Amino acid sequence: MTPVRRFSLGPQTALVLEQGDITRSDADAIVNAANERMLGGGGVDGAIHRAAGPGLREACEAVAEVRPGVRCPTGEARITPGFDLKARWVIHTVGPVYRGAASAAPLASCYRSCLRLAAEHGIGTIAFPAISCGVYGYPRGEAAEISLRSCREVLAAAPELREIRFVLFGDEPYAAWLQAAEALVR
Ligand code: ADP
């Protein structure tokens, strides 16, 4: 059995923590921890591109560059269809490379930007990976707290959002999010 825990993040929004592979999620939207070019990469980004098929790369190429080589600046988000995924949408966001306390604001901005796009598209369920916790080196416990605080802050602006899921790849990120949720969420 995949570990799953359910909390309540607000009057109408559940928080679900599960251990697993986000590419298999049946959420309306899954979030990709992308890079600024948005043309795929390693980690969860590569897994999402492989599972979504070549349409995703074409859709990413079609996203306008804000400056040469940058389609999505750090802390912002862009949305594309999900192509071969179960998820209808992929929301691409670019987390910060961890550089101590200065990285907290851009990481919080990722979560807020994704939820703003979700609200604009009437998305009911969204699944996040542990943004910046892979090669970008963010300490998991800190990232988990920032993610939950940021999500809670913007809930009021996303009335159609019924469920925020975190799909955590492996025991350690799952344990970190569980500990943060037990401390911060009822
Ligand atoms: P970043 O560059 O933002 O650090 P990574 O892809 O390196 O992104 O890692 C972000 C997190 O995603 C890590 O915790 C990693 O274990 C996790 N991850 C990797 N593959 C998957 C997957 N298929 N589903 C969910 N999470 C994944």
Side-chain angles (χ1 to χ4, degrees), residues 7-8 12 17 23 34-36 38 52 58 66 71 80 88 93 95 99 101 107 120 128-129 159 169 178 185:
F7 298 82
S8 172
Q12 313 195 21
L17 306 182
T23 65
N35 55 53
E36 291 188 328
M38 279 184 67
E58 285 167 27
V66 295
R71 291 182 177 77
T80 66
R88 180 171 174 204
T93 190
R99 292 198 182 86
L107 184 60
E120 283 168 19
F128 286 100
F169 204 58
L178 199 52
V185 182

Side-chain angles (χ1 to χ4, degrees), residues 6-183:
R6 226 181 150 80
F7 298 82
S8 172
L9 202 58
Q12 313 195 21
T13 313
L15 167 70
V16 176
L17 306 182
E18 62 183 69
Q19 202 175 311
D21 176 354
I22 201 167
T23 65
R24 301 162 74 102
S25 175
D26 63 358
D28 298 335
I30 66 168
V31 173
N32 182 16
N35 55 53
E36 291 188 328
R37 288 169 61 81
M38 279 184 67
L39 297 182
V44 72
D45 192 6
I48 289 173
H49 274 268
R50 279 192 297 280
L56 183 63
R57 183 177 163 111
E58 285 167 27
C60 287
E61 281 172 355
V63 172
E65 288 186 332
V66 295
R67 52 181 188 274
V70 177
R71 291 182 177 77
C72 182
T74 299
E76 296 190 15
R78 301 289 185 269
I79 191 165
T80 66
F83 297 94
D84 297 345
L85 295 167
K86 281 190 205 151
R88 180 171 174 204
W89 304 104
V90 178
I91 299 179
H92 308 258
T93 190
V94 182
V97 174
Y98 184 66
R99 292 198 182 86
S103 309
L107 184 60
S109 172
C110 286
Y111 286 100
R112 287 197 302 266
S113 302
C114 289
L115 293 181
R116 209 174 301 127
L117 274 180
E120 283 168 19
H121 289 77
I123 285 165
T125 55
I126 185 170
F128 286 100
I131 299 164
S132 285
C133 291
V135 294
Y136 285 4
Y138 219 104
R140 294 184 195 99
E142 287 176 43
E145 285 191 21
I146 290 166
S147 73
L148 298 182
R149 288 188 204 281
S150 313
C151 287
R152 198 164 47 187
E153 271 167 32
V154 298
L155 274 193
E160 290 176 65
L161 198 60
R162 296 187 318 277
E163 196 172 290
I164 298 178
R165 297 184 201 164
F166 283 85
V167 181
L168 302 153
F169 204 58
D171 294 336
E172 288 171 0
Y174 181 71
W177 257 261
L178 199 52
Q179 193 180 350
E182 282 170 345

